[in-house]
Amino acid sequence: MPSTKRKRDATPEMTSQRILRIIALLVLVAIFAVGGLGLGSPRTTTGSDVSPTPGLGSPTALIFPTIAPGGNVIVPDRTYFHSSAIFSMPHLQGWDLAQSGEERVDPTQGVKITRAGATFINGNSLSVIHAFVEKDPDRTAKVLTDLDKYYDKANLDAAWSNFTGGWKETGRRTDGDKFVVDFQLGLSGNTYVGRQVAHFEGDWLMVTRLVAPNNNPSLLDQLQSNIWSGFVFYPNIAQWPITWSATADPTVGYVIKYPADWRQLNAELGKPIVVNGTLRDVTVTLTTQGEPGKVAKTEQDARAWITTLHPKAVILTVSQETRGDAMGFNISYNDPDPDGNARSALVTLLNGANGTLYSANFLTSIRGLDLLQQNNASVPPEIGQIRATLTLLSTARFVPTLTPTNTFTPTATLPITNTPIVTPTGTPAPPTAAPATIAPTTPVPATSAPAF
């Protein structure tokens, strides 16, 4: 006699729909992950009239997920930092960073554009979030009102070209300091709804492209509201190489950048974070941390911080340091190794307005030098550049990290939007550098990065 438990087994129809959903998800991720990194023709601006592109729909339709009673439940569970540290945004539970979903491009790769982006996919809701910041010296649009002309048919054809069923604009509007365009999108026999939201930060353009099944249009409003409530661009980080890595601790509030080939040794938030690497023939170990409740208001305090941490250290030079409303000190010192060799070291201490003492402590293989000496050829200038990237963050802007929950992790991808890049010669730009390690806000399989 058959067991009644078999009633819980998946029917062939259920199995078929799950397979189709995985396939659709793979296609969507491919569209965004590949399209976001894709290269294409230069964008042109020929007018604001966007005519519908034919081809919505195709033979193989997929049954979209049913919307639960009461609608969508959006849960921000942490703050995501891009691995370049140039922007941060709320991470939404269920929207996972796509494989190879981060993008970093800058003029050192043979293009004029500087861009950092990330794509997140939700396999349960068949939804995509594509966020990026971009600086393009050739962009004709300089202010919000220029975007109506900038987002012409040629531009949008390039953006949505990976939706092979075609696209159709359904409306555009200015919403405060944002320019919003809505779309109908076709893919693999299904129709999706899409929305592009753009905002200027100086000469940088912040953009999100959102996609959801057409039976769930309210999801776009919720995604826009949640993401833009904390989508933050960091202009002072933007002045440093976008290809450099970064580490951040949002629990105490700081970020620092360093060369991409450096290695992060640990990422326990709230504790000292250690990275190391080589500058020319000098090895460097960098330890950063934030210490709530501590201060170094005077030179005596700064000296005491060193001698407490390194009792045998010989302090060489102390100078004052000011970063915005944070005051502190730079202290060069020699810290002998177990054999008595004088290892040259340097720390920057900053007193945060939040009552936290921040430090970036460099220990090098240089012997017996004062790392604050000016124009010393033995001191790699990159040490000063790395110190200058130390930036204090407002923890009030971060999403409190929730305890991780199990979510459906797709083995495939949904379509991404296409953001083409062109080299000066018209040939494809070199591949973007792999995202570097950033201290994640929660344990995540991919790498992440910082904010203010």
Side-chain angles (χ1 to χ4, degrees):
M1 182 175 177
S3 170
T4 56
K5 291 183 179 180
R6 291 191 59 82
K7 292 181 179 179
R8 299 181 182 178
D9 292 345
T11 65
E13 291 79 8
M14 293 169 61
T15 302
S16 176
Q17 280 300 315
R18 178 171 176 79
I19 292 172
L20 286 173
R21 185 172 297 178
I22 291 175
I23 292 172
L25 186 62
L26 284 167
V27 172
L28 281 172
V29 174
I31 287 179
F32 281 82
V34 176
L37 304 176
L39 311 176
S41 302
R43 290 169 301 198
T44 59
T45 53
T46 58
S48 59
D49 293 333
V50 179
S51 59
T53 299
L56 286 172
S58 74
T60 311
L62 171 71
I63 297 176
F64 283 150
T66 302
I67 310 306
N72 311 293
V73 178
I74 306 294
V75 180
D77 59 4
R78 60 184 174 89
T79 295
Y80 160 80
F81 296 99
H82 190 269
S83 60
S84 68
I86 200 171
F87 75 86
S88 67
M89 57 186 278
H91 178 273
L92 306 183
Q93 194 172 79
W95 277 263
D96 298 316
L97 187 67
Q99 185 175 3
S100 302
E102 284 197 339
E103 176 189 15
R104 288 190 288 174
V105 176
D106 78 356
T108 63
Q109 295 166 301
V111 297
K112 292 184 178 181
I113 290 173
T114 303
R115 179 189 300 136
T119 300
F120 301 86
I121 308 295
N122 187 317
N124 291 325
S125 64
L126 288 178
S127 171
V128 179
I129 299 168
H130 180 199
F132 63 92
V133 296
E134 177 183 275
K135 181 179 180 180
D136 182 356
D138 292 337
R139 184 177 57 235
T140 57
K142 304 297 182 184
V143 295
L144 193 68
T145 52
D146 295 338
L147 292 179
D148 186 48
K149 184 177 181 180
Y150 177 68
Y151 288 124
D152 64 354
K153 185 176 185 302
N155 185 299
L156 298 176
D157 270 339
W160 301 108
S161 62
N162 291 319
F163 281 83
T164 54
W167 66 271
K168 179 172 65 177
E169 181 179 325
T170 58
R172 58 174 60 201
R173 63 193 181 279
T174 298
D175 182 4
D177 58 0
K178 300 174 183 63
F179 190 78
V180 182
V181 189
D182 288 317
F183 302 91
Q184 184 179 347
L185 309 166
L187 181 72
S188 301
N190 289 102
T191 302
Y192 295 81
V193 288
R195 175 172 297 167
Q196 177 175 278
V197 183
H199 164 76
F200 275 107
E201 283 288 342
D203 51 2
W204 286 78
L205 194 59
M206 301 173 63
V207 180
T208 57
R209 291 183 182 138
L210 313 172
V211 176
N214 70 340
N215 69 335
N216 196 6
S218 64
L219 181 56
L220 295 183
D221 295 330
Q222 291 178 280
L223 292 177
Q224 178 182 339
S225 175
N226 277 275
I227 293 168
W228 282 92
S229 67
F231 187 13
V232 183
F233 169 72
Y234 305 111
N236 56 329
I237 294 295
Q239 66 183 307
W240 303 105
I242 201 168
T243 52
W244 274 21
S245 302
T247 194
D249 190 336
T251 63
V252 291
Y254 73 88
V255 58
I256 193 166
K257 289 177 70 73
Y258 44 84
D261 59 353
W262 282 28
R263 186 165 58 103
Q264 184 170 294
L265 303 182
N266 70 327
E268 187 175 357
L269 301 181
K271 301 289 181 66
I273 296 177
V274 182
V275 299
N276 67 8
T278 302
L279 298 175
R280 300 165 194 190
D281 59 348
V282 175
T283 59
V284 182
T285 299
L286 168 62
T287 303
T288 58
Q289 64 179 316
E291 300 173 273
K294 287 192 176 182
V295 295
K297 294 292 187 182
T298 66
E299 180 176 329
Q300 183 178 359
D301 293 338
R303 288 174 174 268
W305 189 93
I306 294 291
T307 55
T308 299
L309 191 64
H310 305 288
K312 296 182 179 180
V314 176
I315 296 175
L316 303 176
T317 301
V318 180
S319 64
Q320 287 194 340
E321 177 77 11
T322 301
R323 305 276 181 89
D325 60 354
M327 183 278 294
F329 298 91
N330 298 311
I331 309 104
S332 62
Y333 62 99
N334 283 329
D335 181 41
D337 64 17
D339 295 325
N341 298 306
R343 298 175 297 181
S344 300
L346 170 64
V347 66
T348 293
L349 297 174
L350 292 175
N351 295 286
N354 59 354
T356 298
L357 180 63
Y358 299 91
S359 59
N361 197 6
F362 298 80
L363 183 62
T364 77
S365 61
I366 300 173
R367 301 296 188 193
L369 287 184
D370 185 338
L371 296 185
L372 285 177
Q373 286 182 344
Q374 298 295 320
N375 303 319
N376 189 321
S378 299
V379 180
E382 292 89 347
I383 290 179
Q385 294 168 3
I386 296 168
R387 287 195 303 113
T389 71
L390 176 62
T391 304
L392 308 191
L393 315 176
S394 171
T395 55
R397 306 178 81 168
F398 299 141
V399 176
T401 300
L402 301 182
T403 302
T405 58
N406 292 328
T407 57
F408 171 68
T409 302
T411 56
T413 32
L414 292 177
I416 236 192
T417 57
N418 186 26
T419 314
I421 305 171
V422 177
T423 63
T425 60
T427 56
T432 59
T437 303
I438 302 295
T441 52
T442 61
V444 291
T447 55
S448 307
F452 315 149

